[in-house]
Coordinates of all heavy atoms in Angstrom, one line a residue:
M1 N -7.9 -16.2 -22.5 CA -6.6 -15.5 -22.5 C -5.9 -15.9 -23.7 O -5.9 -17.0 -24.1 CB -5.8 -15.9 -21.2 CG -4.6 -15.1 -20.9 SD -3.5 -15.8 -19.7 CE -4.7 -16.1 -18.4
S2 N -5.2 -15.0 -24.4 CA -4.4 -15.3 -25.6 C -3.2 -16.1 -25.2 O -2.7 -16.0 -24.2 CB -4.0 -14.0 -26.3 OG -2.8 -13.6 -25.9
G3 N -2.8 -17.0 -26.2 CA -1.7 -17.9 -25.9 C -0.4 -17.1 -25.6 O 0.4 -17.6 -24.8
E4 N -0.2 -16.0 -26.3 CA 1.0 -15.2 -26.1 C 1.1 -14.7 -24.6 O 2.1 -14.7 -24.0 CB 1.0 -14.0 -27.0 CG 1.7 -14.3 -28.3 CD 0.8 -13.8 -29.5 OE1 0.0 -12.9 -29.2 OE2 1.0 -14.3 -30.6
L5 N -0.1 -14.3 -24.1 CA -0.1 -13.8 -22.7 C 0.2 -14.9 -21.7 O 0.9 -14.7 -20.8 CB -1.4 -13.0 -22.4 CG -1.6 -11.7 -23.0 CD1 -3.0 -11.1 -22.7 CD2 -0.5 -10.7 -22.5
E6 N -0.4 -16.0 -22.0 CA -0.2 -17.2 -21.2 C 1.3 -17.6 -21.2 O 1.8 -17.8 -20.1 CB -1.1 -18.4 -21.8 CG -1.0 -19.6 -21.0 CD -1.7 -19.6 -19.7 OE1 -2.9 -19.4 -19.7 OE2 -1.1 -19.8 -18.6
A7 N 1.9 -17.6 -22.4 CA 3.3 -17.9 -22.5 C 4.1 -16.9 -21.7 O 5.1 -17.3 -21.0 CB 3.7 -18.0 -23.9
E8 N 3.8 -15.7 -21.8 CA 4.5 -14.6 -21.2 C 4.4 -14.7 -19.7 O 5.4 -14.5 -18.9 CB 3.9 -13.2 -21.7 CG 4.7 -12.0 -21.1 CD 6.1 -11.8 -21.7 OE1 6.5 -12.5 -22.6 OE2 6.7 -10.9 -21.1
R9 N 3.2 -15.1 -19.2 CA 3.0 -15.3 -17.8 C 3.8 -16.4 -17.2 O 4.5 -16.3 -16.2 CB 1.5 -15.6 -17.6 CG 1.0 -15.6 -16.2 CD -0.5 -15.4 -16.1 NE -0.8 -14.6 -14.9 CZ -0.9 -15.2 -13.7 NH1 -0.8 -16.5 -13.6 NH2 -1.2 -14.4 -12.7
V10 N 3.8 -17.5 -18.0 CA 4.6 -18.7 -17.6 C 6.1 -18.3 -17.5 O 6.8 -18.7 -16.5 CB 4.4 -19.9 -18.5 CG1 5.4 -21.0 -18.3 CG2 3.0 -20.4 -18.4
A11 N 6.6 -17.6 -18.5 CA 8.0 -17.1 -18.6 C 8.3 -16.3 -17.4 O 9.4 -16.4 -16.8 CB 8.3 -16.5 -19.9
A12 N 7.4 -15.3 -17.1 CA 7.7 -14.4 -16.0 C 7.7 -15.1 -14.7 O 8.6 -14.9 -13.8 CB 6.6 -13.3 -16.0
L13 N 6.8 -16.1 -14.5 CA 6.8 -16.9 -13.2 C 8.0 -17.7 -13.0 O 8.6 -17.8 -12.0 CB 5.5 -17.8 -13.2 CG 4.2 -17.0 -12.9 CD1 3.0 -18.0 -13.1 CD2 4.2 -16.5 -11.4
A14 N 8.5 -18.3 -14.2 CA 9.7 -19.1 -14.2 C 10.9 -18.3 -13.8 O 11.8 -18.7 -13.1 CB 9.9 -19.8 -15.5
Q15 N 10.9 -17.0 -14.4 CA 12.0 -16.1 -14.1 C 12.0 -15.7 -12.6 O 13.1 -15.7 -12.0 CB 11.8 -14.9 -15.0 CG 13.0 -14.0 -15.2 CD 12.8 -12.8 -16.1 OE1 11.7 -12.4 -16.2 NE2 13.8 -12.3 -16.6
I16 N 10.9 -15.4 -12.1 CA 10.8 -15.0 -10.7 C 11.3 -16.2 -9.8 O 12.1 -16.0 -8.9 CB 9.3 -14.6 -10.3 CG1 9.0 -13.3 -10.9 CG2 9.2 -14.6 -8.8 CD1 7.6 -12.9 -10.8
A17 N 10.8 -17.4 -10.2 CA 11.3 -18.6 -9.4 C 12.8 -18.8 -9.4 O 13.4 -19.0 -8.4 CB 10.5 -19.9 -9.9
A18 N 13.4 -18.6 -10.6 CA 14.8 -18.8 -10.8 C 15.6 -17.7 -10.0 O 16.5 -18.1 -9.3 CB 15.2 -18.8 -12.3
L19 N 15.1 -16.5 -10.1 CA 15.8 -15.4 -9.5 C 15.7 -15.5 -8.0 O 16.6 -15.2 -7.2 CB 15.3 -14.1 -10.0 CG 15.7 -13.7 -11.4 CD1 14.9 -12.5 -11.9 CD2 17.2 -13.4 -11.4
T20 N 14.5 -16.0 -7.5 CA 14.3 -16.1 -6.0 C 15.3 -17.2 -5.5 O 15.9 -17.0 -4.5 CB 12.8 -16.5 -5.8 OG1 12.0 -15.5 -6.3 CG2 12.6 -16.7 -4.2
R21 N 15.4 -18.3 -6.3 CA 16.3 -19.3 -5.9 C 17.8 -18.8 -5.8 O 18.5 -19.0 -4.9 CB 16.3 -20.5 -6.9 CG 16.7 -21.8 -6.3 CD 16.1 -23.0 -7.1 NE 16.2 -22.7 -8.6 CZ 15.2 -22.8 -9.4 NH1 14.0 -23.1 -9.0 NH2 15.4 -22.7 -10.7
Q22 N 18.1 -18.0 -6.9 CA 19.5 -17.4 -7.0 C 19.7 -16.5 -5.8 O 20.8 -16.5 -5.1 CB 19.6 -16.7 -8.3 CG 20.9 -16.6 -8.9 CD 20.8 -15.9 -10.2 OE1 19.8 -15.9 -10.9 NE2 21.9 -15.2 -10.5
F23 N 18.7 -15.7 -5.4 CA 18.8 -14.7 -4.3 C 19.0 -15.5 -3.0 O 19.9 -15.1 -2.2 CB 17.5 -13.9 -4.3 CG 17.6 -12.7 -3.3 CD1 18.2 -11.6 -3.7 CD2 17.1 -12.9 -2.0 CE1 18.3 -10.5 -2.7 CE2 17.2 -11.8 -1.1 CZ 17.8 -10.6 -1.5
D24 N 18.2 -16.5 -2.8 CA 18.4 -17.3 -1.6 C 19.8 -17.9 -1.5 O 20.3 -18.0 -0.4 CB 17.3 -18.4 -1.5 CG 15.9 -17.9 -1.3 OD1 15.8 -16.7 -1.0 OD2 14.9 -18.6 -1.5
E25 N 20.3 -18.4 -2.6 CA 21.6 -19.0 -2.6 C 22.7 -18.0 -2.3 O 23.6 -18.3 -1.5 CB 22.0 -19.6 -4.0 CG 21.4 -21.0 -4.2 CD 21.4 -21.4 -5.7 OE1 22.2 -20.8 -6.5 OE2 20.7 -22.4 -6.0
I26 N 22.6 -16.8 -2.8 CA 23.5 -15.7 -2.4 C 23.5 -15.4 -0.9 O 24.5 -15.3 -0.3 CB 23.3 -14.4 -3.3 CG1 23.6 -14.8 -4.7 CG2 24.1 -13.3 -2.8 CD1 23.1 -13.7 -5.7
V27 N 22.2 -15.3 -0.4 CA 22.1 -15.0 1.0 C 22.7 -16.1 1.8 O 23.4 -15.9 2.8 CB 20.6 -14.8 1.3 CG1 20.3 -14.7 2.9 CG2 20.1 -13.6 0.7
A28 N 22.4 -17.4 1.4 CA 22.9 -18.6 2.2 C 24.4 -18.6 2.1 O 25.1 -18.8 3.1 CB 22.3 -19.9 1.6
A29 N 25.0 -18.2 0.9 CA 26.5 -18.2 0.7 C 27.1 -17.2 1.6 O 28.1 -17.4 2.2 CB 26.8 -18.0 -0.7
S30 N 26.4 -16.0 1.7 CA 27.0 -14.9 2.5 C 27.0 -15.2 4.0 O 27.8 -14.9 4.7 CB 26.3 -13.6 2.2 OG 25.0 -13.6 2.8
Q31 N 25.9 -16.0 4.4 CA 25.8 -16.4 5.8 C 26.9 -17.5 6.1 O 27.5 -17.5 7.1 CB 24.4 -16.9 6.1 CG 23.5 -15.8 6.3 CD 22.0 -16.2 6.2 OE1 21.7 -17.3 5.9 NE2 21.1 -15.3 6.6
A32 N 27.1 -18.4 5.1 CA 28.0 -19.5 5.3 C 29.5 -19.0 5.4 O 30.2 -19.4 6.3 CB 28.0 -20.5 4.1
S33 N 29.8 -18.0 4.6 CA 31.2 -17.5 4.6 C 31.3 -16.3 5.6 O 32.4 -15.8 5.9 CB 31.6 -17.0 3.3 OG 30.9 -15.9 2.9
N34 N 30.2 -16.0 6.3 CA 30.2 -14.9 7.2 C 30.8 -13.6 6.6 O 31.5 -12.9 7.3 CB 30.9 -15.3 8.5 CG 30.4 -14.6 9.7 OD1 29.4 -13.9 9.6 ND2 31.1 -14.7 10.8
A35 N 30.5 -13.4 5.3 CA 31.2 -12.3 4.6 C 30.2 -11.1 4.5 O 30.2 -10.6 3.4 CB 31.7 -12.8 3.3
D36 N 29.6 -10.8 5.5 CA 28.7 -9.6 5.4 C 29.4 -8.3 5.8 O 28.8 -7.2 5.8 CB 27.4 -9.8 6.1 CG 27.4 -10.5 7.4 OD1 28.5 -10.6 7.9 OD2 26.4 -11.1 7.8
D37 N 30.7 -8.4 6.1 CA 31.5 -7.2 6.3 C 31.7 -6.5 5.0 O 32.3 -7.1 4.1 CB 32.8 -7.6 7.0 CG 33.6 -6.4 7.3 OD1 33.2 -5.2 7.0 OD2 34.7 -6.6 8.0
E38 N 31.3 -5.2 4.9 CA 31.4 -4.6 3.6 C 32.9 -4.3 3.2 O 33.2 -3.9 2.1 CB 30.6 -3.3 3.6 CG 29.2 -3.6 3.2 CD 28.2 -2.4 3.3 OE1 28.7 -1.3 3.0 OE2 27.1 -2.5 3.7
H39 N 33.8 -4.3 4.2 CA 35.2 -4.0 3.9 C 35.9 -5.3 3.4 O 37.0 -5.2 2.8 CB 35.9 -3.5 5.2 CG 35.2 -2.2 5.7 ND1 35.2 -1.1 4.9 CD2 34.5 -2.0 6.7 CE1 34.6 -0.2 5.6 NE2 34.1 -0.7 6.7
D40 N 35.3 -6.4 3.7 CA 35.8 -7.7 3.1 C 35.5 -7.7 1.6 O 34.3 -7.5 1.2 CB 35.0 -8.8 3.8 CG 35.5 -10.2 3.3 OD1 36.1 -10.2 2.2 OD2 35.1 -11.2 3.9
P41 N 36.5 -7.8 0.7 CA 36.2 -7.8 -0.7 C 35.2 -8.8 -1.2 O 34.3 -8.5 -2.0 CB 37.6 -8.1 -1.4 CG 38.6 -8.4 -0.3 CD 37.9 -8.0 1.1
E42 N 35.2 -10.0 -0.5 CA 34.2 -11.0 -0.9 C 32.8 -10.5 -0.5 O 31.9 -10.7 -1.2 CB 34.6 -12.3 -0.3 CG 33.9 -13.5 -0.9 CD 34.5 -14.8 -0.6 OE1 35.7 -14.8 -0.5 OE2 33.7 -15.8 -0.4
G43 N 32.7 -9.9 0.7 CA 31.4 -9.4 1.2 C 30.9 -8.4 0.2 O 29.7 -8.4 0.0
A44 N 31.8 -7.5 -0.3 CA 31.3 -6.5 -1.2 C 30.8 -7.1 -2.6 O 29.8 -6.6 -3.1 CB 32.5 -5.5 -1.5
T45 N 31.5 -8.1 -3.0 CA 31.0 -8.8 -4.2 C 29.7 -9.4 -4.0 O 28.8 -9.3 -4.9 CB 32.1 -9.9 -4.6 OG1 33.4 -9.3 -4.7 CG2 31.7 -10.6 -5.9
I46 N 29.5 -10.1 -2.9 CA 28.3 -10.7 -2.6 C 27.1 -9.7 -2.5 O 26.0 -9.9 -3.0 CB 28.3 -11.6 -1.3 CG1 29.2 -12.8 -1.5 CG2 27.0 -12.0 -0.8 CD1 29.6 -13.6 -0.3
A47 N 27.4 -8.6 -1.8 CA 26.4 -7.5 -1.7 C 26.1 -7.0 -3.1 O 24.9 -6.7 -3.3 CB 27.0 -6.3 -0.8
F48 N 27.0 -6.9 -4.0 CA 26.8 -6.4 -5.3 C 25.9 -7.4 -6.1 O 24.9 -7.0 -6.7 CB 28.1 -6.2 -6.1 CG 28.0 -5.8 -7.5 CD1 27.6 -4.5 -7.8 CD2 28.2 -6.6 -8.5 CE1 27.4 -4.0 -9.1 CE2 28.1 -6.2 -9.9 CZ 27.7 -4.9 -10.1
E49 N 26.3 -8.7 -6.0 CA 25.5 -9.7 -6.6 C 24.1 -9.7 -6.1 O 23.1 -9.9 -6.9 CB 26.1 -11.1 -6.3 CG 27.2 -11.5 -7.3 CD 27.8 -12.8 -7.0 OE1 27.2 -13.6 -6.3 OE2 28.9 -13.0 -7.4
R50 N 23.9 -9.5 -4.8 CA 22.6 -9.6 -4.2 C 21.8 -8.4 -4.8 O 20.6 -8.6 -5.1 CB 22.7 -9.5 -2.7 CG 21.5 -9.8 -2.0 CD 21.7 -10.2 -0.6 NE 22.4 -9.1 0.2 CZ 22.8 -9.2 1.4 NH1 22.7 -10.4 2.1 NH2 23.4 -8.2 2.0
Q51 N 22.4 -7.2 -4.9 CA 21.7 -6.1 -5.5 C 21.3 -6.3 -6.9 O 20.2 -5.9 -7.3 CB 22.7 -4.9 -5.5 CG 22.3 -3.8 -4.6 CD 23.4 -2.7 -4.5 OE1 24.1 -2.5 -5.5 NE2 23.6 -2.2 -3.3
Q52 N 22.2 -6.9 -7.7 CA 21.9 -7.2 -9.1 C 20.7 -8.1 -9.2 O 19.8 -7.9 -10.0 CB 23.1 -7.9 -9.8 CG 24.3 -7.1 -9.9 CD 24.3 -6.1 -11.0 OE1 23.9 -5.0 -10.8 NE2 24.6 -6.5 -12.2
V53 N 20.7 -9.2 -8.4 CA 19.6 -10.2 -8.5 C 18.3 -9.5 -8.0 O 17.2 -9.8 -8.5 CB 19.9 -11.5 -7.7 CG1 18.8 -12.4 -7.6 CG2 21.1 -12.2 -8.3
A54 N 18.4 -8.7 -7.0 CA 17.2 -8.0 -6.4 C 16.6 -7.1 -7.5 O 15.4 -7.1 -7.6 CB 17.6 -7.2 -5.2
A55 N 17.4 -6.5 -8.3 CA 17.0 -5.6 -9.3 C 16.3 -6.4 -10.4 O 15.3 -6.0 -11.0 CB 18.1 -4.8 -9.9
L56 N 16.9 -7.5 -10.8 CA 16.3 -8.4 -11.8 C 15.0 -8.9 -11.4 O 14.0 -9.1 -12.1 CB 17.2 -9.5 -12.2 CG 18.5 -9.2 -12.9 CD1 19.4 -10.4 -13.1 CD2 18.1 -8.7 -14.3
L57 N 14.9 -9.2 -10.1 CA 13.7 -9.8 -9.5 C 12.5 -8.7 -9.5 O 11.4 -9.0 -9.9 CB 14.0 -10.2 -8.0 CG 13.1 -11.2 -7.3 CD1 12.8 -12.4 -8.2 CD2 13.7 -11.6 -6.0
D58 N 12.9 -7.5 -9.2 CA 12.0 -6.4 -9.4 C 11.4 -6.3 -10.8 O 10.2 -6.1 -11.0 CB 12.7 -5.0 -9.1 CG 12.5 -4.6 -7.6 OD1 11.9 -5.4 -6.9 OD2 12.9 -3.5 -7.3
Q59 N 12.4 -6.4 -11.8 CA 11.9 -6.3 -13.2 C 11.0 -7.4 -13.5 O 10.0 -7.2 -14.2 CB 13.2 -6.5 -14.0 CG 13.7 -5.2 -14.7 CD 15.0 -5.5 -15.4 OE1 15.2 -6.5 -16.0 NE2 15.9 -4.5 -15.2
A60 N 11.3 -8.6 -13.0 CA 10.5 -9.8 -13.3 C 9.1 -9.7 -12.7 O 8.1 -10.1 -13.3 CB 11.2 -11.1 -12.9
R61 N 9.1 -9.1 -11.5 CA 7.7 -8.9 -10.9 C 6.9 -7.8 -11.6 O 5.7 -8.0 -11.7 CB 8.0 -8.4 -9.4 CG 8.4 -9.6 -8.6 CD 8.3 -9.3 -7.1 NE 8.7 -10.5 -6.3 CZ 9.7 -10.4 -5.5 NH1 10.4 -9.3 -5.2 NH2 10.1 -11.5 -4.8
R62 N 7.6 -6.8 -12.2 CA 6.9 -5.8 -13.0 C 6.4 -6.4 -14.2 O 5.3 -6.2 -14.7 CB 7.9 -4.6 -13.3 CG 7.8 -3.5 -12.3 CD 8.3 -2.2 -12.9 NE 9.7 -2.3 -13.2 CZ 10.7 -2.1 -12.3 NH1 10.4 -1.7 -11.1 NH2 11.9 -2.2 -12.7
R63 N 7.2 -7.3 -14.8 CA 6.8 -8.1 -16.0 C 5.5 -8.8 -15.8 O 4.6 -8.8 -16.6 CB 7.9 -9.0 -16.4 CG 7.8 -9.7 -17.7 CD 9.0 -10.6 -18.0 NE 8.8 -11.4 -19.1 CZ 9.6 -12.5 -19.4 NH1 10.6 -12.7 -18.6 NH2 9.3 -13.2 -20.5
L64 N 5.5 -9.5 -14.6 CA 4.3 -10.3 -14.3 C 3.1 -9.4 -14.1 O 2.0 -9.7 -14.5 CB 4.6 -11.1 -13.0 CG 3.4 -12.1 -12.6 CD1 3.1 -13.1 -13.6 CD2 3.8 -12.7 -11.2
A65 N 3.3 -8.2 -13.4 CA 2.2 -7.2 -13.2 C 1.7 -6.7 -14.6 O 0.5 -6.6 -14.8 CB 2.8 -6.1 -12.4
D66 N 2.6 -6.6 -15.5 CA 2.2 -6.1 -16.9 C 1.3 -7.2 -17.5 O 0.3 -6.9 -18.2 CB 3.4 -5.9 -17.8 CG 4.0 -4.5 -17.5 OD1 3.4 -3.7 -16.8 OD2 5.2 -4.3 -17.9
V67 N 1.7 -8.5 -17.3 CA 0.9 -9.6 -17.9 C -0.5 -9.6 -17.3 O -1.5 -9.7 -18.0 CB 1.6 -11.0 -17.7 CG1 0.7 -12.1 -18.2 CG2 2.9 -11.0 -18.4
D68 N -0.5 -9.4 -16.0 CA -1.8 -9.4 -15.3 C -2.7 -8.2 -15.7 O -3.9 -8.4 -15.9 CB -1.6 -9.3 -13.7 CG -1.1 -10.7 -13.2 OD1 -1.3 -11.7 -13.8 OD2 -0.5 -10.7 -12.1
A69 N -2.0 -7.1 -16.0 CA -2.8 -5.9 -16.4 C -3.3 -6.2 -17.8 O -4.5 -5.8 -18.1 CB -1.8 -4.7 -16.5
A70 N -2.5 -6.8 -18.7 CA -3.0 -7.2 -20.0 C -4.2 -8.2 -20.0 O -5.1 -8.0 -20.7 CB -1.8 -7.8 -20.8
V71 N -4.1 -9.1 -19.1 CA -5.2 -10.1 -18.9 C -6.4 -9.4 -18.5 O -7.5 -9.7 -19.0 CB -4.8 -11.2 -17.9 CG1 -6.0 -12.1 -17.6 CG2 -3.6 -12.1 -18.4
T72 N -6.3 -8.5 -17.5 CA -7.5 -7.7 -17.1 C -8.1 -6.9 -18.3 O -9.3 -6.8 -18.4 CB -7.0 -6.7 -16.0 OG1 -6.5 -7.5 -14.9 CG2 -8.2 -6.0 -15.4
A73 N -7.2 -6.3 -19.1 CA -7.6 -5.6 -20.2 C -8.3 -6.5 -21.3 O -9.3 -6.0 -21.8 CB -6.4 -4.9 -20.9
V74 N -7.9 -7.7 -21.4 CA -8.5 -8.7 -22.3 C -10.0 -8.9 -21.8 O -10.9 -8.8 -22.6 CB -7.7 -10.0 -22.4 CG1 -8.6 -11.0 -23.1 CG2 -6.4 -9.8 -23.1
E75 N -10.1 -9.1 -20.5 CA -11.4 -9.4 -19.9 C -12.3 -8.1 -20.0 O -13.5 -8.3 -20.2 CB -11.2 -9.8 -18.4 CG -10.7 -11.2 -18.3 CD -10.2 -11.5 -16.9 OE1 -10.1 -10.6 -16.1 OE2 -9.7 -12.7 -16.7
A76 N -11.7 -7.0 -19.9 CA -12.5 -5.7 -20.0 C -12.7 -5.3 -21.5 O -13.5 -4.4 -21.7 CB -11.8 -4.6 -19.3
G77 N -12.1 -6.0 -22.4 CA -12.3 -5.7 -23.8 C -11.5 -4.5 -24.3 O -11.8 -3.9 -25.3
T78 N -10.5 -4.1 -23.5 CA -9.7 -2.9 -23.9 C -8.3 -3.3 -24.3 O -7.5 -2.4 -24.6 CB -9.6 -1.9 -22.7 OG1 -9.0 -2.6 -21.6 CG2 -11.0 -1.3 -22.3
Y79 N -8.1 -4.6 -24.4 CA -6.7 -5.0 -24.8 C -6.4 -4.6 -26.2 O -7.2 -4.6 -27.1 CB -6.6 -6.6 -24.7 CG -5.3 -7.1 -25.1 CD1 -4.2 -6.9 -24.2 CD2 -5.1 -7.7 -26.3 CE1 -2.9 -7.4 -24.6 CE2 -3.8 -8.2 -26.7 CZ -2.7 -8.0 -25.8 OH -1.5 -8.4 -26.2
G80 N -5.1 -4.2 -26.4 CA -4.7 -3.7 -27.7 C -5.0 -2.3 -28.0 O -4.8 -1.8 -29.1
R81 N -5.6 -1.6 -26.9 CA -5.8 -0.2 -27.1 C -4.9 0.6 -26.2 O -4.6 0.2 -25.1 CB -7.3 0.1 -26.6 CG -8.0 1.2 -27.3 CD -9.5 1.1 -27.3 NE -10.0 0.4 -28.4 CZ -10.1 1.0 -29.6 NH1 -9.8 2.2 -29.8 NH2 -10.6 0.3 -30.7
C82 N -4.3 1.7 -26.8 CA -3.3 2.5 -26.1 C -4.0 3.2 -24.9 O -5.0 3.7 -25.0 CB -2.8 3.5 -27.0 SG -1.7 4.7 -26.2
E83 N -3.3 3.0 -23.7 CA -3.9 3.6 -22.5 C -3.8 5.1 -22.5 O -4.5 5.8 -21.7 CB -3.1 3.1 -21.3 CG -3.5 1.7 -20.8 CD -2.8 1.2 -19.6 OE1 -2.0 2.0 -19.0 OE2 -3.0 0.1 -19.1
T84 N -2.9 5.6 -23.3 CA -2.7 7.1 -23.3 C -3.6 7.8 -24.3 O -4.4 8.7 -24.0 CB -1.3 7.4 -23.6 OG1 -0.5 6.7 -22.7 CG2 -1.0 8.9 -23.5
C85 N -3.6 7.3 -25.6 CA -4.3 8.1 -26.7 C -5.6 7.3 -27.1 O -6.4 7.9 -27.8 CB -3.5 8.3 -27.8 SG -3.0 6.9 -28.8
G86 N -5.8 6.0 -26.6 CA -7.0 5.3 -26.9 C -7.0 4.7 -28.3 O -8.0 4.0 -28.7
R87 N -6.0 4.9 -29.1 CA -5.9 4.3 -30.5 C -5.4 2.9 -30.4 O -4.7 2.5 -29.4 CB -5.0 5.1 -31.4 CG -5.7 6.4 -31.8 CD -4.9 7.1 -32.9 NE -3.5 7.3 -32.3 CZ -2.7 8.3 -32.8 NH1 -3.1 9.1 -33.7 NH2 -1.5 8.4 -32.2
P88 N -5.7 2.1 -31.4 CA -5.2 0.7 -31.3 C -3.7 0.6 -31.4 O -3.1 1.4 -32.1 CB -5.8 0.0 -32.6 CG -6.8 1.0 -33.2 CD -6.5 2.3 -32.6
I89 N -3.1 -0.3 -30.6 CA -1.7 -0.5 -30.6 C -1.4 -1.4 -31.8 O -2.1 -2.4 -32.1 CB -1.2 -1.2 -29.3 CG1 -1.6 -0.4 -28.1 CG2 0.3 -1.6 -29.4 CD1 -1.4 -1.1 -26.7
G90 N -0.3 -1.1 -32.6 CA 0.0 -1.9 -33.8 C 0.2 -3.3 -33.5 O 0.7 -3.7 -32.5
E91 N -0.2 -4.1 -34.5 CA -0.2 -5.6 -34.4 C 1.3 -6.0 -34.2 O 1.6 -6.9 -33.4 CB -0.7 -6.3 -35.6 CG -2.0 -7.0 -35.3 CD -2.7 -7.5 -36.6 OE1 -2.1 -8.3 -37.3 OE2 -3.8 -7.0 -36.9
E92 N 2.2 -5.4 -34.9 CA 3.6 -5.8 -34.8 C 4.1 -5.5 -33.4 O 4.9 -6.3 -32.9 CB 4.4 -4.9 -35.8 CG 4.9 -5.7 -37.0 CD 5.5 -4.7 -38.0 OE1 6.5 -4.1 -37.7 OE2 5.0 -4.7 -39.1
R93 N 3.7 -4.4 -32.8 CA 4.2 -4.0 -31.5 C 3.6 -5.1 -30.5 O 4.3 -5.5 -29.6 CB 3.7 -2.7 -31.1 CG 4.1 -2.2 -29.7 CD 4.0 -0.7 -29.6 NE 3.9 -0.3 -28.2 CZ 5.0 -0.2 -27.4 NH1 6.2 -0.5 -27.9 NH2 4.9 0.2 -26.2
L94 N 2.4 -5.4 -30.6 CA 1.8 -6.4 -29.7 C 2.4 -7.8 -29.8 O 2.5 -8.5 -28.9 CB 0.2 -6.5 -29.9 CG -0.6 -5.4 -29.3 CD1 -2.0 -5.6 -29.6 CD2 -0.4 -5.3 -27.8
A95 N 2.8 -8.1 -31.1 CA 3.5 -9.4 -31.3 C 4.8 -9.5 -30.6 O 5.2 -10.4 -30.0 CB 3.6 -9.7 -32.8
A96 N 5.5 -8.3 -30.7 CA 6.8 -8.2 -30.0 C 6.7 -8.1 -28.5 O 7.5 -8.6 -27.8 CB 7.6 -7.1 -30.6
R97 N 5.7 -7.4 -28.1 CA 5.5 -7.1 -26.7 C 4.0 -7.3 -26.3 O 3.3 -6.3 -26.3 CB 5.9 -5.7 -26.3 CG 7.2 -5.6 -25.6 CD 7.5 -4.3 -25.0 NE 7.0 -4.2 -23.6 CZ 6.7 -3.0 -23.0 NH1 6.8 -1.9 -23.6 NH2 6.3 -3.0 -21.8
P98 N 3.6 -8.5 -26.1 CA 2.1 -8.7 -25.8 C 1.5 -7.9 -24.6 O 0.4 -7.7 -24.5 CB 2.0 -10.2 -25.6 CG 3.3 -10.8 -25.8 CD 4.4 -9.7 -25.9
T99 N 2.4 -7.4 -23.8 CA 2.0 -6.7 -22.6 C 2.1 -5.2 -22.8 O 1.9 -4.4 -21.8 CB 2.7 -7.1 -21.4 OG1 4.1 -6.8 -21.6 CG2 2.6 -8.6 -21.0
A100 N 2.3 -4.7 -24.0 CA 2.4 -3.3 -24.3 C 1.1 -2.6 -23.9 O 0.0 -3.1 -24.2 CB 2.8 -3.0 -25.7
R101 N 1.3 -1.5 -23.1 CA 0.0 -0.8 -22.7 C -0.2 0.5 -23.5 O -1.2 1.1 -23.4 CB 0.1 -0.5 -21.2 CG 0.1 -1.8 -20.4 CD 0.7 -1.6 -19.0 NE -0.2 -1.1 -18.1 CZ -0.2 -1.2 -16.8 NH1 0.8 -2.0 -16.3 NH2 -1.1 -0.7 -16.0
T102 N 0.8 0.9 -24.2 CA 0.7 2.2 -25.0 C 1.1 1.9 -26.4 O 1.9 1.0 -26.7 CB 1.5 3.3 -24.4 OG1 2.9 2.8 -24.4 CG2 1.1 3.7 -23.1
C103 N 0.7 2.7 -27.4 CA 1.1 2.5 -28.7 C 2.5 3.0 -28.9 O 3.0 3.7 -27.9 CB 0.1 3.3 -29.7 SG 0.3 5.1 -29.6
I104 N 3.1 2.8 -30.0 CA 4.5 3.1 -30.2 C 4.8 4.6 -30.1 O 5.8 5.1 -29.6 CB 5.1 2.4 -31.5 CG1 6.6 2.3 -31.4 CG2 4.7 3.2 -32.7 CD1 7.1 1.0 -32.0
D105 N 3.8 5.4 -30.6 CA 4.0 6.9 -30.5 C 4.0 7.4 -29.1 O 4.8 8.3 -28.7 CB 2.9 7.5 -31.3 CG 3.0 7.3 -32.8 OD1 4.2 7.1 -33.3 OD2 2.0 7.2 -33.5
C106 N 3.1 6.8 -28.3 CA 3.0 7.3 -26.9 C 4.1 6.7 -26.0 O 4.5 7.3 -25.0 CB 1.6 6.9 -26.3 SG 0.3 7.7 -27.0
A107 N 4.7 5.6 -26.5 CA 5.8 5.0 -25.7 C 7.1 5.8 -25.9 O 8.0 5.8 -25.0 CB 6.0 3.6 -26.2
R108 N 7.2 6.6 -27.0 CA 8.4 7.3 -27.2 C 8.5 8.5 -26.3 O 7.5 9.1 -26.0 CB 8.4 7.8 -28.7 CG 9.2 6.8 -29.5 CD 9.6 7.4 -30.8 NE 8.5 7.4 -31.7 CZ 8.3 6.6 -32.8 NH1 9.2 5.8 -33.1 NH2 7.3 6.6 -33.5
Ligands
ZN1 ZN1 -1.0 6.1 -27.9

């Protein structure tokens, strides 16, 4: 596995762990204050925060899925090749986004 993918994987896992902790804290806080009434302004804030963290968590999980897909591609020998047009993905793009699955033209 390339070092960049390994680093990206570690970062994604750390992000998921941090967000999961944050999510649990929000849930615990909402239970502690018994503020799950949506008409309660504090309850609405907590619901909003919970939604935000859930969305970030979704993103982080997708990020991890992208890393796993890239690792599979490395193993299959197709890493760095655009999934759409089959041409090589630019080195600059891969350096910026090691999990890129399409070339910059197809991504547009
Ligand atoms: Zn392409």
Side-chain angles (χ1 to χ4, degrees):
M1 194 193 302
S2 87
E4 272 131 19
L5 286 177
E6 181 74 57
E8 182 70 10
R9 185 158 218 279
V10 168
L13 284 171
Q15 199 179 21
I16 288 169
L19 287 167
T20 302
R21 204 159 45 233
Q22 212 177 326
F23 188 82
D24 288 347
E25 274 166 22
I26 293 168
V27 171
S30 72
Q31 280 163 353
S33 67
N34 206 11
D36 37 22
D37 182 356
E38 276 176 32
H39 301 292
D40 178 348
E42 195 162 327
T45 305
I46 289 170
F48 178 73
E49 271 176 24
R50 194 159 59 185
Q51 244 171 35
Q52 297 280 96
V53 174
L56 288 173
L57 201 48
D58 263 4
Q59 252 173 43
R61 288 197 178 116
R62 265 200 298 275
R63 186 179 171 194
L64 183 62
D66 280 346
V67 175
D68 286 339
V71 171
T72 305
V74 169
E75 281 162 3
T78 57
Y79 180 73
R81 208 155 270 282
C82 173
E83 279 183 3
T84 305
C85 69
R87 283 187 307 206
I89 300 171
E91 247 170 65
E92 254 172 60
R93 178 163 163 77
L94 279 179
R97 252 194 95 202
T99 59
R101 293 157 84 156
T102 56
C103 71
I104 202 143
D105 292 329
C106 293
R108 266 198 283 254

